[in-house]
Amino acid sequence: MKKALITGITGQDGSYLAELLVDKGYEVHGIVRRSSSFNRERIENLIQDPAVYRQSLFLHYGDMTDSSAINRILEKVGPEEIYNLAAQSHVRISFDMPEYTGDVDGIGVARMLDAIREVGLVGECRFYQASTSEMFGSSPPPQGEDTPFHPRSPYAAAKLYAHWMVVNYRQGYGLHASSGILFNHESPRRGRNFVTRKVASAAARISRGRQSRLSMGNLDAGRDWGHAKDYVRAMHLMLQQPEADDFVIATGVTHTIRDLLDRAFGRVGLDWKDSVVIDEKYFRPTEVDMLRGDASKAERVLGWKPQITFDEMIDEMVDSELKALES
């Protein structure tokens, strides 16, 4: 039974990855932060399964800002695969909290990489880093592994530092460390402060008379949106390769915020133009206008392709919000 350690296991990606690995017979260890709220809803289905929770899923308290906790967990678990998904992942919030974002998303990865080296796991484990398409910033699409980086937010800058630290530990210490340069990926488990979940929720609530208006920012921004379930498959495939490398994971199709509004409100038979108002507070100080990934390398080397379309994903998200309103 392989052992895997997931940071950020209670997040969208972490929960889907945990399910995937448990299904594949892994012993899964997750790092969770201590807090006053018990934020484990996304892995509730695993926790509520007695057989899984006793035999396949183990949770440890820790934080990416705490080197001693990271070292202690690595020594205790001795994982063969490490998936670093922990982050302050909201781009707009990173402008308000740049220091915290840099500490968790950037320096936190350096702490983890050096802990792997200090504990003596360099030749024993494989490491996955969740990089991001935001690192490309204003570089024009399509964006692939050779596209120049031009980060346009504190979040992207912190992730770029982490990305290059992974490259340095791979080349300098021989660590099997791969980065997935993931483009936007969503699901019903997306955080409520992210635009796809915000729009899906508003469409459902407005259709049921629970909400009257939706405030939005830049409607012309374009993103390459895929489903989180597809993207965690790619993470796992990267760590099964004989050689570590970096891979862009994307659908190759761009949709604008207007497209998102069209699909979500259309799902409930409404015209979003009747409900959406523009609020300047939702504009970023610097904007990434257009992202579209070239995942041809992932298809060629990993045999990976997305299976869930944009329309199917948004429909699933709106349907999930409708179901929650009825419960």
Side-chain angles (χ1 to χ4, degrees):
M1 181 181 285
K2 277 188 177 180
K3 287 184 184 180
L5 176 67
I6 303 173
T7 71
I9 193 171
T10 59
Q12 170 189 253
D13 293 5
S15 64
Y16 282 122
L17 179 61
E19 291 172 3
L20 176 71
L21 296 181
V22 167
D23 287 344
K24 289 182 176 295
Y26 279 66
E27 179 179 301
V28 176
H29 296 256
I31 297 180
V32 296
R33 289 180 297 167
R34 286 192 182 274
S35 67
S36 58
S37 60
F38 203 66
N39 182 28
R40 301 183 186 178
E41 294 85 0
R42 295 183 181 97
I43 57 172
E44 196 67 31
N45 59 324
L46 294 175
I47 292 175
Q48 289 181 346
D49 186 326
V52 169
Y53 200 49
R54 284 199 305 267
Q55 300 172 18
S56 303
L57 180 66
F58 304 89
L59 302 179
H60 309 264
Y61 284 114
D63 195 289
M64 295 300 288
T65 64
D66 186 345
S67 298
S68 62
I70 293 171
N71 283 48
R72 170 178 51 79
I73 293 168
L74 289 183
E75 288 179 338
K76 180 179 180 180
V77 176
E80 294 154 89
E81 296 177 4
I82 299 173
Y83 297 86
N84 182 45
L85 311 183
Q88 189 299 102
S89 58
H90 197 285
V91 176
R92 181 62 188 83
I93 290 173
S94 77
F95 286 98
D96 300 324
M97 304 177 68
E99 182 180 347
Y100 175 76
T101 301
D103 193 15
V104 174
D105 298 9
I107 302 300
V109 178
R111 293 186 185 101
M112 176 65 76
L113 290 168
D114 215 50
I116 292 171
R117 184 182 63 83
E118 288 185 356
V119 173
L121 292 176
V122 168
E124 308 297 324
C125 77
R126 298 183 173 194
F127 180 81
Y128 170 83
Q129 167 61 14
S131 288
T132 171
S133 59
E134 290 287 331
M135 299 188 306
F136 293 122
S138 57
S139 290
Q143 293 101 354
E145 289 83 4
D146 296 325
T147 300
F149 295 123
H150 187 175
R152 299 272 286 169
S153 67
Y155 167 73
K159 282 288 193 175
L160 186 55
Y161 170 83
H163 180 83
W164 282 116
M165 286 298 287
V166 170
V167 172
N168 275 269
Y169 273 71
R170 181 168 69 216
Q171 296 176 350
Y173 298 108
L175 176 63
H176 190 296
S178 295
S179 287
I181 307 175
L182 272 56
F183 281 63
N184 295 67
H185 47 288
E186 319 297 323
S187 76
R189 299 181 188 177
R190 196 49 147 151
R192 290 193 175 278
N193 56 346
F194 287 83
V195 66
T196 48
R197 182 76 184 275
K198 176 181 173 180
V199 169
S201 175
R205 290 177 61 82
I206 290 171
S207 74
R208 297 297 185 265
R210 305 283 189 92
Q211 184 174 329
S212 59
R213 290 286 182 268
L214 169 63
S215 297
M216 297 289 291
N218 180 13
L219 302 187
D220 296 316
R223 295 292 182 268
D224 183 332
W225 274 301
H227 199 293
K229 276 187 177 180
D230 282 336
Y231 286 36
V232 300
R233 285 194 296 107
M235 297 175 191
H236 178 256
L237 286 169
M238 287 180 214
L239 296 201
Q240 312 316 306
Q241 304 307 306
E243 301 293 333
D245 207 345
D246 304 325
F247 296 90
V248 163
I249 303 299
T251 69
V253 180
T254 296
H255 292 90
T256 66
I257 302 296
R258 295 177 191 275
D259 297 331
L260 168 62
L261 290 165
D262 280 338
R263 187 68 193 187
F265 278 78
R267 183 67 172 175
V268 292
L270 297 177
D271 185 341
W272 61 266
K273 298 181 186 69
D274 297 329
S275 307
V276 171
V277 294
I278 303 301
D279 188 333
E280 289 190 2
K281 76 176 182 180
Y282 292 110
F283 283 79
R284 302 177 185 177
T286 51
E287 180 61 85
V288 174
D289 296 318
M290 194 66 60
L291 292 173
R292 183 174 75 255
D294 175 6
S296 56
K297 178 180 174 182
E299 181 178 350
R300 183 178 70 254
V301 177
L302 305 178
W304 179 87
K305 279 186 176 182
Q307 297 176 347
I308 303 170
T309 68
F310 172 81
D311 288 350
E312 291 170 339
M313 178 183 70
I314 300 304
D315 289 351
E316 179 191 12
M317 293 180 71
V318 174
D319 291 349
S320 175
E321 297 294 335
L322 289 170
K323 183 177 179 182
L325 288 175
E326 294 165 359
S327 62

PDB file of all heavy atoms in Angstrom, residues 20 34 40 65 73 78 97 101 109 149 153 169 172 181 183 194 214 229 237 251 253 259 266 276:
ATOM      1  N   LEU A  20      -9.531   9.930  -5.148  1.00  0.00           N
ATOM      2  CA  LEU A  20      -8.863   9.192  -6.220  1.00  0.00           C
ATOM      3  C   LEU A  20      -7.831   8.225  -5.658  1.00  0.00           C
ATOM      4  O   LEU A  20      -7.780   7.044  -6.049  1.00  0.00           O
ATOM      5  CB  LEU A  20      -8.194  10.179  -7.181  1.00  0.00           C
ATOM      6  CG  LEU A  20      -7.363   9.574  -8.312  1.00  0.00           C
ATOM      7  CD1 LEU A  20      -8.265   8.920  -9.348  1.00  0.00           C
ATOM      8  CD2 LEU A  20      -6.489  10.630  -8.982  1.00  0.00           C
ATOM      9  N   ARG A  34      -5.244  23.804  12.375  1.00  0.00           N
ATOM     10  CA  ARG A  34      -6.121  23.991  13.536  1.00  0.00           C
ATOM     11  C   ARG A  34      -6.861  25.316  13.380  1.00  0.00           C
ATOM     12  O   ARG A  34      -6.264  26.333  13.021  1.00  0.00           O
ATOM     13  CB  ARG A  34      -5.310  24.018  14.834  1.00  0.00           C
ATOM     14  CG  ARG A  34      -4.798  22.667  15.269  1.00  0.00           C
ATOM     15  CD  ARG A  34      -4.266  22.735  16.686  1.00  0.00           C
ATOM     16  NE  ARG A  34      -3.711  21.468  17.122  1.00  0.00           N
ATOM     17  CZ  ARG A  34      -4.416  20.480  17.666  1.00  0.00           C
ATOM     18  NH1 ARG A  34      -5.723  20.627  17.820  1.00  0.00           N
ATOM     19  NH2 ARG A  34      -3.837  19.364  18.050  1.00  0.00           N
ATOM     20  N   ARG A  40     -14.182  20.571   7.289  1.00  0.00           N
ATOM     21  CA  ARG A  40     -13.848  19.304   6.631  1.00  0.00           C
ATOM     22  C   ARG A  40     -14.997  18.783   5.775  1.00  0.00           C
ATOM     23  O   ARG A  40     -15.086  17.578   5.493  1.00  0.00           O
ATOM     24  CB  ARG A  40     -13.435  18.255   7.665  1.00  0.00           C
ATOM     25  CG  ARG A  40     -12.233  18.712   8.487  1.00  0.00           C
ATOM     26  CD  ARG A  40     -11.748  17.673   9.463  1.00  0.00           C
ATOM     27  NE  ARG A  40     -10.697  18.227  10.320  1.00  0.00           N
ATOM     28  CZ  ARG A  40     -10.100  17.563  11.296  1.00  0.00           C
ATOM     29  NH1 ARG A  40     -10.448  16.317  11.553  1.00  0.00           N
ATOM     30  NH2 ARG A  40      -9.161  18.134  12.022  1.00  0.00           N
ATOM     31  N   THR A  65       3.337  27.397   7.287  1.00  0.00           N
ATOM     32  CA  THR A  65       4.188  28.419   7.889  1.00  0.00           C
ATOM     33  C   THR A  65       4.982  27.886   9.075  1.00  0.00           C
ATOM     34  O   THR A  65       5.704  28.637   9.718  1.00  0.00           O
ATOM     35  CB  THR A  65       3.338  29.621   8.352  1.00  0.00           C
ATOM     36  OG1 THR A  65       2.435  29.197   9.380  1.00  0.00           O
ATOM     37  CG2 THR A  65       2.545  30.214   7.199  1.00  0.00           C
ATOM     38  N   ILE A  73       5.730  15.790  10.648  1.00  0.00           N
ATOM     39  CA  ILE A  73       4.790  14.964   9.882  1.00  0.00           C
ATOM     40  C   ILE A  73       5.523  14.098   8.863  1.00  0.00           C
ATOM     41  O   ILE A  73       5.207  12.911   8.693  1.00  0.00           O
ATOM     42  CB  ILE A  73       3.738  15.860   9.203  1.00  0.00           C
ATOM     43  CG1 ILE A  73       2.841  16.514  10.261  1.00  0.00           C
ATOM     44  CG2 ILE A  73       2.887  15.056   8.221  1.00  0.00           C
ATOM     45  CD1 ILE A  73       1.969  17.628   9.724  1.00  0.00           C
ATOM     46  N   GLY A  78       6.512   9.280   6.524  1.00  0.00           N
ATOM     47  CA  GLY A  78       7.404   8.685   5.530  1.00  0.00           C
ATOM     48  C   GLY A  78       6.705   8.437   4.206  1.00  0.00           C
ATOM     49  O   GLY A  78       6.728   7.310   3.683  1.00  0.00           O
ATOM     50  N   MET A  97      -3.557  40.759   0.918  1.00  0.00           N
ATOM     51  CA  MET A  97      -2.710  40.027   1.870  1.00  0.00           C
ATOM     52  C   MET A  97      -1.449  39.518   1.172  1.00  0.00           C
ATOM     53  O   MET A  97      -1.200  38.308   1.131  1.00  0.00           O
ATOM     54  CB  MET A  97      -3.499  38.853   2.469  1.00  0.00           C
ATOM     55  CG  MET A  97      -4.803  39.249   3.143  1.00  0.00           C
ATOM     56  SD  MET A  97      -5.723  37.815   3.739  1.00  0.00           S
ATOM     57  CE  MET A  97      -4.661  37.232   5.061  1.00  0.00           C
ATOM     58  N   THR A 101       0.260  35.731   1.635  1.00  0.00           N
ATOM     59  CA  THR A 101       0.251  34.910   0.426  1.00  0.00           C
ATOM     60  C   THR A 101       1.663  34.445   0.079  1.00  0.00           C
ATOM     61  O   THR A 101       1.879  33.273  -0.257  1.00  0.00           O
ATOM     62  CB  THR A 101      -0.350  35.696  -0.753  1.00  0.00           C
ATOM     63  OG1 THR A 101      -1.684  36.102  -0.416  1.00  0.00           O
ATOM     64  CG2 THR A 101      -0.384  34.855  -2.012  1.00  0.00           C
ATOM     65  N   VAL A 109       6.489  26.495   0.406  1.00  0.00           N
ATOM     66  CA  VAL A 109       6.973  25.414  -0.461  1.00  0.00           C
ATOM     67  C   VAL A 109       8.462  25.171  -0.219  1.00  0.00           C
ATOM     68  O   VAL A 109       8.922  24.020  -0.198  1.00  0.00           O
ATOM     69  CB  VAL A 109       6.700  25.755  -1.936  1.00  0.00           C
ATOM     70  CG1 VAL A 109       7.247  24.663  -2.854  1.00  0.00           C
ATOM     71  CG2 VAL A 109       5.204  25.925  -2.161  1.00  0.00           C
ATOM     72  N   PHE A 149       7.061  33.577 -18.297  1.00  0.00           N
ATOM     73  CA  PHE A 149       6.216  33.941 -17.160  1.00  0.00           C
ATOM     74  C   PHE A 149       6.206  35.461 -16.985  1.00  0.00           C
ATOM     75  O   PHE A 149       7.221  36.128 -17.165  1.00  0.00           O
ATOM     76  CB  PHE A 149       6.725  33.283 -15.872  1.00  0.00           C
ATOM     77  CG  PHE A 149       6.645  31.781 -15.877  1.00  0.00           C
ATOM     78  CD1 PHE A 149       7.791  31.017 -15.662  1.00  0.00           C
ATOM     79  CD2 PHE A 149       5.449  31.130 -16.089  1.00  0.00           C
ATOM     80  CE1 PHE A 149       7.732  29.632 -15.665  1.00  0.00           C
ATOM     81  CE2 PHE A 149       5.375  29.741 -16.089  1.00  0.00           C
ATOM     82  CZ  PHE A 149       6.521  28.991 -15.878  1.00  0.00           C
ATOM     83  N   SER A 153       0.092  39.394 -10.134  1.00  0.00           N
ATOM     84  CA  SER A 153      -0.537  39.475  -8.815  1.00  0.00           C
ATOM     85  C   SER A 153       0.428  38.931  -7.780  1.00  0.00           C
ATOM     86  O   SER A 153       1.338  38.159  -8.105  1.00  0.00           O
ATOM     87  CB  SER A 153      -1.842  38.666  -8.775  1.00  0.00           C
ATOM     88  OG  SER A 153      -1.560  37.276  -8.898  1.00  0.00           O
ATOM     89  N   TYR A 169      15.376  22.242  -6.601  1.00  0.00           N
ATOM     90  CA  TYR A 169      15.536  21.026  -5.802  1.00  0.00           C
ATOM     91  C   TYR A 169      15.559  19.782  -6.686  1.00  0.00           C
ATOM     92  O   TYR A 169      16.212  18.789  -6.345  1.00  0.00           O
ATOM     93  CB  TYR A 169      14.436  20.926  -4.737  1.00  0.00           C
ATOM     94  CG  TYR A 169      14.808  21.656  -3.470  1.00  0.00           C
ATOM     95  CD1 TYR A 169      14.843  23.047  -3.435  1.00  0.00           C
ATOM     96  CD2 TYR A 169      15.168  20.968  -2.322  1.00  0.00           C
ATOM     97  CE1 TYR A 169      15.203  23.726  -2.288  1.00  0.00           C
ATOM     98  CE2 TYR A 169      15.534  21.637  -1.160  1.00  0.00           C
ATOM     99  CZ  TYR A 169      15.555  23.021  -1.154  1.00  0.00           C
ATOM    100  OH  TYR A 169      15.927  23.703  -0.018  1.00  0.00           O
ATOM    101  N   GLY A 172      19.187  20.341  -8.287  1.00  0.00           N
ATOM    102  CA  GLY A 172      20.288  20.414  -7.339  1.00  0.00           C
ATOM    103  C   GLY A 172      20.428  19.216  -6.429  1.00  0.00           C
ATOM    104  O   GLY A 172      21.541  18.830  -6.054  1.00  0.00           O
ATOM    105  N   ILE A 181       1.302  22.991 -13.996  1.00  0.00           N
ATOM    106  CA  ILE A 181       0.901  24.386 -14.247  1.00  0.00           C
ATOM    107  C   ILE A 181      -0.563  24.338 -14.640  1.00  0.00           C
ATOM    108  O   ILE A 181      -0.916  24.253 -15.823  1.00  0.00           O
ATOM    109  CB  ILE A 181       1.782  25.035 -15.324  1.00  0.00           C
ATOM    110  CG1 ILE A 181       3.263  24.876 -14.956  1.00  0.00           C
ATOM    111  CG2 ILE A 181       1.430  26.512 -15.475  1.00  0.00           C
ATOM    112  CD1 ILE A 181       4.225  25.378 -16.017  1.00  0.00           C
ATOM    113  N   PHE A 183      -4.351  25.328 -15.238  1.00  0.00           N
ATOM    114  CA  PHE A 183      -5.244  26.428 -15.561  1.00  0.00           C
ATOM    115  C   PHE A 183      -6.491  26.302 -14.682  1.00  0.00           C
ATOM    116  O   PHE A 183      -6.642  25.333 -13.938  1.00  0.00           O
ATOM    117  CB  PHE A 183      -5.561  26.415 -17.057  1.00  0.00           C
ATOM    118  CG  PHE A 183      -4.453  27.007 -17.895  1.00  0.00           C
ATOM    119  CD1 PHE A 183      -3.193  26.432 -17.933  1.00  0.00           C
ATOM    120  CD2 PHE A 183      -4.664  28.167 -18.628  1.00  0.00           C
ATOM    121  CE1 PHE A 183      -2.161  26.983 -18.668  1.00  0.00           C
ATOM    122  CE2 PHE A 183      -3.643  28.735 -19.373  1.00  0.00           C
ATOM    123  CZ  PHE A 183      -2.390  28.145 -19.393  1.00  0.00           C
ATOM    124  N   PHE A 194     -14.921  32.333  -5.076  1.00  0.00           N
ATOM    125  CA  PHE A 194     -14.398  32.248  -6.438  1.00  0.00           C
ATOM    126  C   PHE A 194     -15.523  32.504  -7.433  1.00  0.00           C
ATOM    127  O   PHE A 194     -16.681  32.159  -7.190  1.00  0.00           O
ATOM    128  CB  PHE A 194     -13.767  30.878  -6.687  1.00  0.00           C
ATOM    129  CG  PHE A 194     -12.449  30.703  -5.990  1.00  0.00           C
ATOM    130  CD1 PHE A 194     -12.398  30.324  -4.655  1.00  0.00           C
ATOM    131  CD2 PHE A 194     -11.254  30.946  -6.652  1.00  0.00           C
ATOM    132  CE1 PHE A 194     -11.189  30.173  -3.993  1.00  0.00           C
ATOM    133  CE2 PHE A 194     -10.035  30.801  -6.008  1.00  0.00           C
ATOM    134  CZ  PHE A 194     -10.000  30.422  -4.673  1.00  0.00           C
ATOM    135  N   LEU A 214     -26.555  40.498  -8.573  1.00  0.00           N
ATOM    136  CA  LEU A 214     -25.228  39.912  -8.510  1.00  0.00           C
ATOM    137  C   LEU A 214     -24.220  40.970  -8.930  1.00  0.00           C
ATOM    138  O   LEU A 214     -24.275  41.486 -10.047  1.00  0.00           O
ATOM    139  CB  LEU A 214     -25.118  38.692  -9.441  1.00  0.00           C
ATOM    140  CG  LEU A 214     -23.708  38.128  -9.669  1.00  0.00           C
ATOM    141  CD1 LEU A 214     -23.115  37.615  -8.355  1.00  0.00           C
ATOM    142  CD2 LEU A 214     -23.742  37.002 -10.717  1.00  0.00           C
ATOM    143  N   LYS A 229     -11.894  17.373 -11.050  1.00  0.00           N
ATOM    144  CA  LYS A 229     -11.737  15.913 -11.096  1.00  0.00           C
ATOM    145  C   LYS A 229     -10.755  15.498 -12.176  1.00  0.00           C
ATOM    146  O   LYS A 229      -9.935  14.592 -11.988  1.00  0.00           O
ATOM    147  CB  LYS A 229     -13.096  15.239 -11.353  1.00  0.00           C
ATOM    148  CG  LYS A 229     -13.949  15.020 -10.133  1.00  0.00           C
ATOM    149  CD  LYS A 229     -15.169  14.190 -10.492  1.00  0.00           C
ATOM    150  CE  LYS A 229     -16.021  13.899  -9.272  1.00  0.00           C
ATOM    151  NZ  LYS A 229     -17.222  13.090  -9.635  1.00  0.00           N
ATOM    152  N   LEU A 237      -0.845  11.236 -12.330  1.00  0.00           N
ATOM    153  CA  LEU A 237      -0.077  10.711 -13.463  1.00  0.00           C
ATOM    154  C   LEU A 237       1.351  11.259 -13.477  1.00  0.00           C
ATOM    155  O   LEU A 237       2.291  10.548 -13.828  1.00  0.00           O
ATOM    156  CB  LEU A 237      -0.777  11.065 -14.778  1.00  0.00           C
ATOM    157  CG  LEU A 237      -2.046  10.273 -15.104  1.00  0.00           C
ATOM    158  CD1 LEU A 237      -2.789  10.908 -16.282  1.00  0.00           C
ATOM    159  CD2 LEU A 237      -1.697   8.814 -15.407  1.00  0.00           C
ATOM    160  N   THR A 251      -7.648  22.836 -20.872  1.00  0.00           N
ATOM    161  CA  THR A 251      -8.571  22.302 -21.888  1.00  0.00           C
ATOM    162  C   THR A 251      -8.253  22.820 -23.273  1.00  0.00           C
ATOM    163  O   THR A 251      -8.671  22.233 -24.271  1.00  0.00           O
ATOM    164  CB  THR A 251     -10.027  22.683 -21.566  1.00  0.00           C
ATOM    165  OG1 THR A 251     -10.205  24.096 -21.752  1.00  0.00           O
ATOM    166  CG2 THR A 251     -10.390  22.318 -20.126  1.00  0.00           C
ATOM    167  N   VAL A 253      -9.400  25.671 -24.351  1.00  0.00           N
ATOM    168  CA  VAL A 253     -10.555  26.480 -24.766  1.00  0.00           C
ATOM    169  C   VAL A 253     -10.735  27.627 -23.766  1.00  0.00           C
ATOM    170  O   VAL A 253     -10.725  27.404 -22.557  1.00  0.00           O
ATOM    171  CB  VAL A 253     -11.844  25.637 -24.822  1.00  0.00           C
ATOM    172  CG1 VAL A 253     -13.024  26.501 -25.254  1.00  0.00           C
ATOM    173  CG2 VAL A 253     -11.664  24.451 -25.772  1.00  0.00           C
ATOM    174  N   ASP A 259     -19.486  34.406 -20.916  1.00  0.00           N
ATOM    175  CA  ASP A 259     -19.864  33.026 -21.264  1.00  0.00           C
ATOM    176  C   ASP A 259     -20.320  32.269 -20.022  1.00  0.00           C
ATOM    177  O   ASP A 259     -21.288  31.492 -20.065  1.00  0.00           O
ATOM    178  CB  ASP A 259     -18.684  32.294 -21.905  1.00  0.00           C
ATOM    179  CG  ASP A 259     -18.241  32.901 -23.219  1.00  0.00           C
ATOM    180  OD1 ASP A 259     -19.089  33.501 -23.920  1.00  0.00           O
ATOM    181  OD2 ASP A 259     -17.050  32.779 -23.557  1.00  0.00           O
ATOM    182  N   GLY A 266     -28.566  30.684 -17.961  1.00  0.00           N
ATOM    183  CA  GLY A 266     -29.364  29.932 -18.931  1.00  0.00           C
ATOM    184  C   GLY A 266     -29.847  28.607 -18.382  1.00  0.00           C
ATOM    185  O   GLY A 266     -30.917  28.121 -18.746  1.00  0.00           O
ATOM    186  N   VAL A 276     -27.322  41.370 -13.175  1.00  0.00           N
ATOM    187  CA  VAL A 276     -25.913  41.649 -12.895  1.00  0.00           C
ATOM    188  C   VAL A 276     -25.633  43.148 -12.916  1.00  0.00           C
ATOM    189  O   VAL A 276     -26.067  43.863 -13.821  1.00  0.00           O
ATOM    190  CB  VAL A 276     -25.005  40.930 -13.910  1.00  0.00           C
ATOM    191  CG1 VAL A 276     -23.550  41.395 -13.779  1.00  0.00           C
ATOM    192  CG2 VAL A 276     -25.086  39.418 -13.697  1.00  0.00           C
TER     193      VAL A 276
END
